Amino acid sequence: MKLASLPQGRDGRLIVVSNDLAWYADADHIVPTMQSLLDSWDRYAPLLEALAIELEHGAIPRKRFHEREAAAPLPRAYQWADGSAYVNHVELVRKARGAELPESFWSDPLMYQGGSDDLRGAREPLVLPDEAWGGDFEAEVVVVTGDVDRGASAEAALDAIRLVGLVNDVSLRNLIPGELAKGFGFVQSKPASHFSPVFVTPNTLGAAFQGGKLNHRLSIDLNSQAFGRLQAGEECTFDFGVLIAHLAKTRRVAAGSIIGSGTVSNRDPDGSPGRPVGEGGRGYACIAEQRMVEQILHGEARTPFLRHGDVVRIEVRDAAGHSVFGAIEQTVVPA
Amino acid sequence: MKLASLPQGRDGRLIVVSNDLAWYADADHIVPTMQSLLDSWDRYAPLLEALAIELEHGAIPRKRFHEREAAAPLPRAYQWADGSAYVNHVELVRKARGAELPESFWSDPLMYQGGSDDLRGAREPLVLPDEAWGGDFEAEVVVVTGDVDRGASAEAALDAIRLVGLVNDVSLRNLIPGELAKGFGFVQSKPASHFSPVFVTPNTLGAAFQGGKLNHRLSIDLNSQAFGRLQAGEECTFDFGVLIAHLAKTRRVAAGSIIGSGTVSNRDPDGSPGRPVGEGGRGYACIAEQRMVEQILHGEARTPFLRHGDVVRIEVRDAAGHSVFGAIEQTVVPA
């Protein structure tokens, strides 16, 4: 099934969305919010699955679903922890900062604890008070978990995945070097993240979500130009089971935790760090990578970071061309 | 007023506690949980203040309050961000890791984003599956905020402080160097934090909480021996207004966010990094500092990190000797 939240109060109200994203049915008479569903998944999910089937069959009253009206599926969450499954991204972004990639990064996942108290919808503006902060998008896959025990295995963690979606993990590139130099990770350099209008259960994704990886093409457009056409299932060094187990090594992970894949990134077939779409490559899921590749190819970064008025679009379409999670599409605005 | 949560479901149920921590009155008929209170503070706080006055006067039915029965005031929260207001602590712990203290740390607060999905009560065991992880306590002051706008000033941030309490921010010292070397901050090396049984409003603290600093003595005992007798209001380089404003620079901070002071730490009057209580000093709020000072004084660290069976106690008493927030008192146990 596909689920979303319409704006209401601090947590939204839960709806079930049709597979083609055209229709929805109210679900808040069954369970009011996405978080309360995740808190009692086994109790409510079967009832919502039944509702979803009725919605597909037109057997119940339905309303038009408009992606632009959706809130973040979880407008606030108890955890947002973002991994770095695509080591190509990590290598490129480190190169851009003049930092080496330790060999251990291929076996020990990199992860940061993000802020989760204010998560934003897919069509809300990307607020960038100061262009000099170096605003950038990062297109990623996310999962939402149920409860995960401390010390859970990667296999057990896979079983705890309840929902799959997309995120634009906004980064302020020019604040990152100074903040990371302090040694405690990101605080100011990661403002609010924006999530796809719809989150989808693994069983509805079927073959497209196997082994903790999303086997779909992720499309990123900047100002209506193709910026990335990436295969999320390829070169994904750490599947979501491994990422969740990493997080759960020393502590329990509670229902409703959102775990990110890190910026999706593909190399070129020859092993080089990819090329921009305009030069025949698959492109990138963030500006920083394209800038680093420009540096390598041309001796200078040519693509500027985000400017007010820019429009970022992130979407996954299935083989038939249908949007799976709905599109994140945001205009960059000053505060 | 003083507030606490008794165990119930995932979020506890809200109670009002008498100033002497001896009695409580149910508050969940007014607002069910601490988080829902924080979500609508202006609506519910006056009703709870009235209840607190009736409780003090014995004008309503009251029940015996037992600190050991309290859950964490917020058993899960949307944000836990921990600052480092006591730069003496930062300097000592860095020395222990062989890292320099940048001069900017005296003007630019250090802060990390912690996990907030699983917060623990004051008397719950401190679970340490492996003693080799180097378990340590960190005694800190915390505040809980209302909503704070992006870009809020330190003054505006001070006005958003709703509650004050204590935390044991548990650290796994032997996992920290490897994790921090990866550059993205703490994930595995910070397991669940434990909070004081009771959180208190700034107006009830009165003169003891002024300018975003708690002017009380913080006592830390390890296995019933005095380990720290520290003045939380002294050498606190960054008040909570500054810490919250730091967090809010690039994003909104939502109601119910918990902000930590970092480990409380005092120097000796001569400017040296303090001495253990057993040597006539004020001692420390974490083992790591005492070990570093032992290294300086004796050429070797003598105090081991936490072992199974150890008992950690953290408490603030007022001038009359009354416990303000109740005591955090935990036994270290294997998983």
Side-chain angles (χ1 to χ4, degrees):
Chain A
M1 64 181 160
K2 299 191 175 190
L3 300 169
S5 296
L6 292 181
Q8 183 174 298
R10 289 181 183 265
D11 294 300
R13 71 179 178 88
L14 187 66
I15 59 171
V16 172
V17 179
S18 63
N19 280 326
D20 63 3
L21 306 184
W23 304 97
Y24 78 89
D26 290 320
D28 55 339
H29 59 292
I30 296 173
V31 57
T33 66
M34 188 79 80
Q35 182 62 51
S36 43
L37 164 61
L38 290 156
D39 286 346
S40 305
W41 183 264
D42 291 344
R43 177 172 173 193
Y44 296 119
L47 303 174
L48 297 178
E49 293 279 8
L51 192 69
I53 290 168
E54 292 182 309
L55 176 65
E56 289 304 321
H57 293 173
I60 49 169
R62 61 186 196 177
K63 300 171 193 168
R64 252 331 200 160
F65 178 68
H66 300 290
E67 294 180 23
R68 67 176 182 275
E69 292 171 2
L74 284 166
R76 54 181 179 173
Y78 294 103
Q79 179 154 256
W80 158 231
D82 196 11
S84 292
Y86 301 87
V87 181
N88 189 43
H89 164 76
V90 182
E91 192 160 23
L92 277 174
V93 175
R94 294 223 155 200
K95 257 191 194 155
R97 293 205 303 267
E100 281 296 301
L101 182 81
E103 191 58 31
S104 64
F105 278 34
W106 293 97
S107 54
D108 177 32
L110 187 62
M111 181 173 277
Y112 77 89
Q113 194 87 46
S116 56
D117 59 314
D118 182 31
L119 307 179
R120 294 310 185 100
R123 306 297 170 96
E124 290 186 78
L126 194 165
V127 177
L128 181 67
D130 187 346
E131 289 181 344
W133 288 352
D136 196 359
F137 50 85
E138 295 193 10
E140 310 186 7
V141 182
V142 295
V143 299
V144 185
T145 72
D147 291 308
V148 181
D149 289 336
R150 183 193 302 106
S153 67
E155 293 68 33
L158 272 187
D159 287 340
I161 295 174
R162 300 283 177 258
L163 297 164
V164 183
L166 305 177
V167 68
N168 178 7
D169 177 45
V170 179
S171 291
L172 302 173
R173 297 287 177 201
N174 295 340
L175 303 188
I176 287 179
E179 188 154 61
L180 291 193
K182 293 161 73 177
F184 276 16
F186 306 103
V187 174
Q188 295 179 337
S189 45
K190 292 279 185 182
S193 294
H194 293 249
F195 291 83
S196 56
V198 167
F199 281 0
V200 183
T201 53
N203 69 328
T204 292
L205 291 167
F209 190 77
Q210 292 295 321
K213 298 182 184 186
L214 183 70
N215 297 301
H216 267 316
R217 193 174 79 157
L218 179 67
S219 293
I220 302 98
D221 292 351
L222 178 59
N223 298 327
S224 304
Q225 299 290 311
F227 196 89
R229 295 289 182 267
L230 299 156
Q231 295 296 337
E234 297 180 12
E235 299 169 72
C236 178
T237 304
F238 305 109
D239 69 64
F240 277 110
V242 172
L243 293 177
I244 297 166
H246 180 84
L247 180 63
K249 181 184 173 186
T250 61
R251 55 181 160 113
R252 298 194 328 174
V253 171
S257 290
I258 308 174
I259 315 298
S261 67
T263 308
V264 177
S265 184
N266 294 155
R267 289 171 186 268
D268 259 6
D270 66 0
S272 72
R275 278 165 297 154
V277 173
E279 302 186 24
R282 287 180 173 182
Y284 304 95
C286 68
I287 295 174
E289 280 187 56
Q290 176 151 315
R291 286 171 58 90
M292 187 60 221
V293 168
E294 288 167 347
Q295 185 89 39
I296 294 167
L297 294 176
H298 311 298
E300 60 172 1
R302 293 176 175 179
T303 309
F305 288 121
L306 291 173
R307 290 184 288 208
H308 296 149
D310 280 349
V311 177
V312 179
R313 187 179 169 94
I314 298 168
E315 190 170 25
V316 159
R317 291 181 178 275
D318 64 18
H322 300 129
S323 185
V324 175
F325 307 101
I328 297 171
E329 186 173 299
Q330 314 181 250
T331 302
V332 180
V333 302
Chain B
M1 63 181 160
K2 299 191 175 189
L3 300 169
S5 296
L6 292 181
Q8 183 174 297
R10 291 179 182 266
D11 294 301
R13 72 181 176 86
L14 187 66
I15 60 171
V16 172
V17 180
S18 63
N19 280 327
D20 63 3
L21 307 183
W23 305 96
Y24 79 88
D26 291 320
D28 55 337
H29 58 291
I30 295 172
V31 57
T33 67
M34 188 78 81
Q35 182 62 51
S36 44
L37 164 61
L38 290 156
D39 287 346
S40 304
W41 182 265
D42 291 344
R43 178 172 171 193
Y44 295 118
L47 304 174
L48 296 178
E49 293 279 9
L51 191 68
I53 290 167
E54 292 182 308
L55 176 65
E56 289 302 323
H57 293 172
I60 49 168
R62 61 187 194 174
K63 300 172 195 166
R64 252 330 200 160
F65 178 67
H66 300 290
E67 293 180 22
R68 66 176 183 274
E69 292 171 2
L74 285 165
R76 55 181 179 174
Y78 294 105
Q79 179 153 255
W80 159 231
D82 197 9
S84 292
Y86 301 87
V87 181
N88 189 43
H89 164 77
V90 182
E91 191 160 25
L92 278 173
V93 176
R94 296 222 154 201
K95 257 189 194 155
R97 294 204 304 266
E100 282 295 300
L101 182 83
E103 190 58 31
S104 64
F105 278 34
W106 293 97
S107 55
D108 177 31
L110 187 61
M111 181 174 278
Y112 77 89
Q113 193 86 46
S116 57
D117 59 316
D118 181 31
L119 307 179
R120 294 311 185 99
R123 305 299 169 95
E124 290 187 79
L126 193 165
V127 177
L128 181 66
D130 188 344
E131 289 181 343
W133 288 351
D136 197 359
F137 50 87
E138 294 193 10
E140 310 186 7
V141 182
V142 296
V143 299
V144 184
T145 73
D147 292 308
V148 181
D149 289 337
R150 184 194 301 106
S153 68
E155 293 68 34
L158 272 186
D159 286 340
I161 295 175
R162 300 284 178 256
L163 296 165
V164 183
L166 303 177
V167 68
N168 177 7
D169 177 45
V170 180
S171 291
L172 303 173
R173 296 287 177 201
N174 295 340
L175 302 188
I176 287 178
E179 189 154 61
L180 291 193
K182 294 161 73 177
F184 276 16
F186 306 103
V187 176
Q188 294 178 336
S189 45
K190 291 279 185 182
S193 295
H194 294 250
F195 292 83
S196 55
V198 167
F199 282 179
V200 183
T201 53
N203 68 328
T204 291
L205 290 167
F209 190 78
Q210 292 295 321
K213 299 183 184 186
L214 182 70
N215 297 302
H216 267 316
R217 193 173 78 156
L218 179 68
S219 295
I220 301 99
D221 292 350
L222 178 59
N223 298 327
S224 304
Q225 300 290 311
F227 196 90
R229 296 290 182 267
L230 300 155
Q231 295 296 337
E234 297 181 12
E235 299 170 72
C236 177
T237 304
F238 305 110
D239 69 64
F240 277 109
V242 172
L243 293 178
I244 297 166
H246 180 84
L247 180 63
K249 181 183 172 187
T250 60
R251 54 181 161 111
R252 296 196 327 175
V253 172
S257 291
I258 307 174
I259 315 300
S261 67
T263 308
V264 176
S265 185
N266 294 156
R267 290 171 187 270
D268 259 5
D270 66 0
S272 72
R275 278 164 298 153
V277 173
E279 302 186 24
R282 288 180 174 181
Y284 304 96
C286 68
I287 296 174
E289 280 187 57
Q290 177 150 314
R291 286 170 58 89
M292 188 60 221
V293 168
E294 288 167 345
Q295 185 90 41
I296 294 167
L297 294 176
H298 312 297
E300 59 172 2
R302 294 176 175 180
T303 309
F305 288 123
L306 292 173
R307 290 184 289 206
H308 297 147
D310 281 350
V311 177
V312 179
R313 185 179 170 94
I314 298 167
E315 190 169 25
V316 159
R317 291 182 178 273
D318 63 19
H322 299 130
S323 185
V324 175
F325 307 102
I328 298 172
E329 186 174 300
Q330 314 182 249
T331 302
V332 180
V333 301

